[in-house]
Amino acid sequence: MRVDAHHHVWDLAVRDLPWTHGSPVLHRTYTADDLRPALLRNAIDATVVVQTCAVAEETVELLALAAGDPHTRAVVGWADLTDPAVADRLAALREGTGGRALVGLRHPVTDEADPDWLARPEVRRGLGAAADAGLVHDLLVRPDQLPAAIRAVRELPQVRFVLDHAGNPETDPDAFAVWAGHMAALAVCPNVAVKLSGLVTRTTGDPVRSLRPFTDVLLSALGPRRLMYGSDWPVCLLAAGYDEVLALAETLTADLGTEESEAVFGTTAAHWYGMGA
């Protein structure tokens, strides 16, 4: 199964997304039907759609999409981790339309001023409740929040984590060295995988040359069976089209063997998110 492990959809007629303001590319509606031609062109069998805002209703909408869309096989939604009743909220989502597609949760930690937000007791309690429900937690963090993310992964071995966009690394040499150290620290924790996603928008100049060092670190530290491809469509359109993003990832992993390549482009995501064939 060939999987795009990270994309979004949104309808601005249903809900405004302030983070799209100021971008003519992003400040418009994007639907699963808009994505479908690219999926068909590139023989993508299944996708993981990921939340875009900290609004509970969006998760319900994404699950309804998964119930009727042939490609959307898994949903990483949002729920308030600090809610004492989060376990009940998750059970209700699972029992609703498309509930079987709920595989994970994500909170935009990047929007939190506190670099240690993930260490708060109420957040840790919510992460535990999500794990009890069989859900993965996608980590969306800034570089300064990576140490707290590493501590959460290390101190909550019962929780399965996926680090989105490889932790949103900065590209200057000093920051790269720090980031590489963080990836090495994560690599010793078997309960975390990393997405090869969201990096094309951080490149300058030749994207292959810019991203090769990052990909090499990820493959060396975690290996292909803990690395999964995601397009980050439509955010990727700020820098490149869907076909270009996929071709870039394929070029960066061209030295892998067949099974290793299949892991990055499908089986890692299928295993980590519990997606059946």
Side-chain angles (χ1 to χ4, degrees):
M1 183 162 63
R2 197 158 145 96
V3 179
D4 180 345
H6 194 104
H7 77 90
H8 307 285
V9 296
W10 58 75
D11 185 345
L12 296 184
V14 173
R15 183 174 304 105
D16 185 34
L17 296 176
W19 60 270
T20 68
H21 293 179
S23 171
V25 173
L26 298 182
H27 195 60
R28 49 152 290 191
T29 292
Y30 286 96
T31 70
D33 287 336
D34 294 328
L35 177 59
R36 198 168 328 282
L39 301 178
L40 294 173
R41 277 196 309 273
N42 292 285
I44 302 295
D45 301 298
T47 72
V48 181
V49 66
V50 180
Q51 62 83 225
T52 65
C53 57
V55 174
E57 290 78 9
E58 184 193 38
T59 303
V60 176
E61 295 156 8
L62 295 178
L63 292 173
L65 168 65
D69 185 76
H71 283 101
T72 308
R73 297 279 291 277
V75 173
V76 173
W78 180 86
D80 183 359
L81 293 173
T82 67
D83 182 352
V86 66
D88 294 335
R89 310 288 184 213
L90 297 177
L93 287 171
R94 277 282 177 77
E95 293 168 3
T97 301
R100 292 179 59 186
L102 185 65
V103 298
L105 298 177
R106 185 175 81 158
H107 180 81
V109 184
T110 48
D111 292 343
E112 302 290 344
D114 182 4
D116 291 321
W117 186 85
L118 285 162
R120 294 182 179 182
E122 64 273 24
V123 174
R124 293 287 183 92
R125 184 171 57 249
L127 289 170
D132 290 343
L135 301 179
V136 175
H137 186 78
D138 270 33
L139 289 162
L140 179 62
V141 296
R142 303 185 306 261
D144 67 301
Q145 295 168 328
L146 264 173
I150 293 167
R151 289 196 302 274
V153 171
R154 187 180 293 148
E155 294 168 7
L156 297 171
Q158 77 278 20
V159 181
R160 291 176 299 140
F161 291 94
V162 173
L163 179 66
D164 287 355
H165 312 328
N168 290 307
E170 297 170 347
T171 55
D172 67 84
D174 290 341
F176 175 81
V178 173
W179 170 84
H182 290 327
M183 294 305 102
L186 282 177
V188 302
C189 304
N191 58 321
V192 64
V194 176
K195 285 184 182 176
L196 182 61
S197 65
L199 298 179
V200 68
T201 54
R202 310 182 77 83
T203 61
T204 56
D206 177 12
V208 173
R209 185 171 182 175
S210 294
L211 296 183
R212 176 80 65 188
F214 295 94
T215 308
D216 287 350
V217 166
L218 292 171
L219 286 170
S220 175
L222 292 114
R225 290 171 179 81
R226 291 170 64 192
L227 191 63
M228 64 182 80
Y229 163 76
S231 67
D232 198 28
W233 182 91
V235 179
C236 68
L237 299 178
L238 291 169
Y242 191 97
D243 295 2
E244 296 170 273
V245 173
L246 178 56
L248 173 60
E250 290 174 334
T251 297
L252 290 167
T253 58
D255 291 337
L256 296 179
T258 300
E259 289 188 6
E260 292 176 326
S261 180
E262 289 174 350
V264 173
F265 293 98
T267 56
T268 298
H271 169 73
W272 216 259
Y273 287 121
M275 301 165 66

